[in-house]
Amino acid sequence: MLEKVLIGSRRYWSWIAFLVLFIGVGVFYYLRQLDYGLGITGMSRNVTWALYIAQFTFLVGVAASAVMVVLPYYLHNYKAFGKITILGEFLAVASVMMCLMFIIVDLGQPARAFNLLIYPTPSSILFWDMIVLNGYLLLNIVIGWTVLACEKKSVPPPRWVKPLIYISIPWAISIHTVTAFIYAGLPGRSFWLTAIMAPRFLASAFASGPALLILLCLILRKFTRFDTGKEPVQTLAKIVTYALVISIFLVGMEIFTVFYSQIPEHMKHFQYLFAGLEGHRALVPWMWASVFLAGAALILLINPRTRKNESLLAVACVAVFGSLWIEKGLGLVVTGFIPSPLGKITEYYPTGPEVLITLGVWAMGFFILTVLYKVAISVKEEIEA
Amino acid sequence: MKSSRRTFLKITGLSLMGWGAKPVLEVLARNESSKILKPPEALKAKRWAMVINSRRCPHGCTDCIQACHNIHNVPDFGNEKDEIKWIWHERFGDAFPGQEHPYIQAGVKERPVLVLCNHCENPPCVRVCPTQATFKRAEDGIVMMDYHRCIGCRFCIAGCPYGARSMNYRDPRPFIKKINPAFPTRTKGVVEKCNFCVERLAAGLLPACVVACKEKALFFGDLGNPDSDVRKLLRAHFTIRRKPELGTQPQVYYIV
């Protein structure tokens, strides 16, 4: 099936070339980073995790959201999702690959990454994250590829795939729960020390992931002969709506607890995010943009008339994705370090090389996604023809 | 079985997976007790600890810091972003958050407080390290690091509530004023911190900071010995520890 990747339109090849360009730039700067060290980034003694780890955290959510199409289709036999299940699974594959790449580029000594296997340490959440992420990657590759290959041959998928599909459902929940535990279990990092971290992660994931999937469905309809139809898009839109409402609700609960209790160590981080602290306000405009985007998306999604209008739905999905990317991909990680445990406020600004490496990993992810979608769409087009 | 490229690849894949699983199994089936022989002159303890009499710490004095950083090849990058430090001064209110108030005893607020790794009894950095590059030595409780095993994930830095750890964001060697050949330098991409001078204890010497302090503000000793200096001081003075509410059980005590 992989041979389908080699045949494509001019537009397809220009898109591939565009991605390869960004990948190339990313690789170039990654080599520079390998040579110089992580000092090439904006990270500092006080802010030791930043853009890379934040992208990883955000993308774990996008990966986990595949369960939002797998579960209704396989557990509730919701037929309308039959056509897009493969899109969800392949999106998960591309996202997990990006997650793994972001972890690798964040390591100070990437050549020693296999120490994770040589000295497995169950007390470390990173050990479990490695297991759940790689497991989820493997599950989605095997399930997606096998089911698609059977579809191509017009035979029912083999029986052994079913249990794997059922396992993949709680497994999707586990990847984001374990990723939340990386943050939520640290003493002295008050911003992350909250029991609703995992639920918050899941809620925002089930909004941002399906929002991206809707956009991908609409793009595929525009540029290929593959049409998902209206129904799955509308169902996904409802999922995004509920997840976004729950996500906003959970953030609200966090803010209540922090500000009603008035414990300074807990308040300072939120003050830094939304109002600025001692004149440091690098993230304030971003966070208010996130709030505004979430609000706008909520209005468009709750109102059935705007939700059913696919152009407005697309706008809402871009807003959801943007809002949650700011929340997870910018705010959540860095703010855990500001102020530091010693009360220092160190602002973080990503450097040029850091941004280009980040874009390179994103481009690599979209490259993987494009290749996988190309295979899936070509097979589907072949069946229909 | 008919051999084809397909079956060959399958078998290769399975073998590779088995290879990856082997170390996991080895750890689960581990039953070893390593024995490290020590020279006879080595200082031994059940539990090393430090008592800092911050009242004796004069403003502007950096003897202990200099001694530590020189002996341990701690680089000076000349900027805060990449800074590496093992022992340093903090404001009282930053070392002990929440302990400061507007009517506090004269001089306390301005007094420099010496901070370093607390060598916690229950260290979060050890718990979170995914490769056991950071570990607590069973015999005397020192929290140590294997710089050759550290992958530079910086989980320990996120886990440490005292800011005691520094990352080598770049190659430290060009920024060491005078390299001490008796102690290893680090490479870029690994984390480091105070080691309670394990290398000096093994040679029968007290930690460099303790020896360097002319004001006799630093004391080092065995908590397991009721007659040790540190136990005597802890009996005679009211002492506090940094962020005791976190349950990490720091082993650096302060007389304030």
Side-chain angles (χ1 to χ4, degrees), chain A residues 186-206:
Chain A
L186 302 175
R189 300 280 177 190
S190 332
F191 185 59
W192 300 331
L193 196 70
T194 164
I196 62 164
M197 191 62 103
R200 259 180 72 191
F201 272 28
L202 287 164
S204 67
F206 295 154

Side-chain angles (χ1 to χ4, degrees), chain A residues 33-50 52-53 103 105-127 138 181-183 185-189 192-193 265 337 340-344 346 351, chain B residues 17 20 23-24 27-28 30 80-86 88 90-91 94-95 97 115 124 126-132 146-171 187-190 242-243 245-246 248:
Chain A
Q33 178 182 303
L34 274 183
D35 182 48
Y36 183 87
L38 277 170
I40 205 168
T41 69
M43 288 188 273
S44 57
R45 190 181 191 277
N46 286 336
V47 181
T48 46
W49 280 341
Y52 297 151
I53 288 297
I103 292 184
V105 298
D106 190 65
L107 291 181
Q109 285 284 341
R112 297 180 188 166
F114 279 99
N115 279 3
L116 281 164
L117 287 175
I118 300 171
Y119 310 107
T121 311
S123 70
S124 175
I125 301 295
L126 219 55
F127 167 80
L138 207 64
F181 285 176
I182 289 181
Y183 303 99
L186 302 175
R189 300 280 177 190
W192 300 331
L193 196 70
E265 267 184 47
F337 297 99
S340 80
L342 287 158
K344 301 274 182 305
T346 313
T351 58
Chain B
M17 269 170 67
V24 180
V27 152
L28 294 174
R30 182 161 55 186
E80 264 190 42
K81 178 180 173 294
D82 299 324
E83 192 181 16
I84 291 175
K85 46 191 178 186
W86 285 29
W88 71 99
E90 282 291 338
R91 278 181 59 252
D94 289 334
V115 295
V126 171
R127 200 185 315 148
V128 299
C129 176
T131 62
Q132 296 155 51
D146 181 343
Y147 303 121
H148 302 280
R149 195 187 279 194
C150 175
I151 59 173
C153 71
R154 312 189 293 299
F155 205 173
C156 55
I157 300 185
C160 176
Y162 305 104
R165 293 173 159 269
S166 310
M167 167 75 175
N168 282 282
Y169 279 109
R170 40 196 300 206
D171 183 10
T187 173
K188 69 179 172 231
V190 301
R242 293 172 66 200
K243 301 189 183 178
E245 71 278 9
L246 298 177
T248 55

Side-chain angles (χ1 to χ4, degrees), chain A residues 274-298:
Chain A
F274 289 103
L277 204 57
E278 295 169 27
H280 298 278
R281 35 188 300 119
L283 282 175
V284 174
W286 286 97
M287 289 317 286
W288 285 105
S290 170
V291 170
F292 172 77
L293 286 171
L298 199 62

Side-chain angles (χ1 to χ4, degrees), chain A residues 30 59 232 349:
Chain A
Y30 182 61
L59 287 164
Y349 299 99

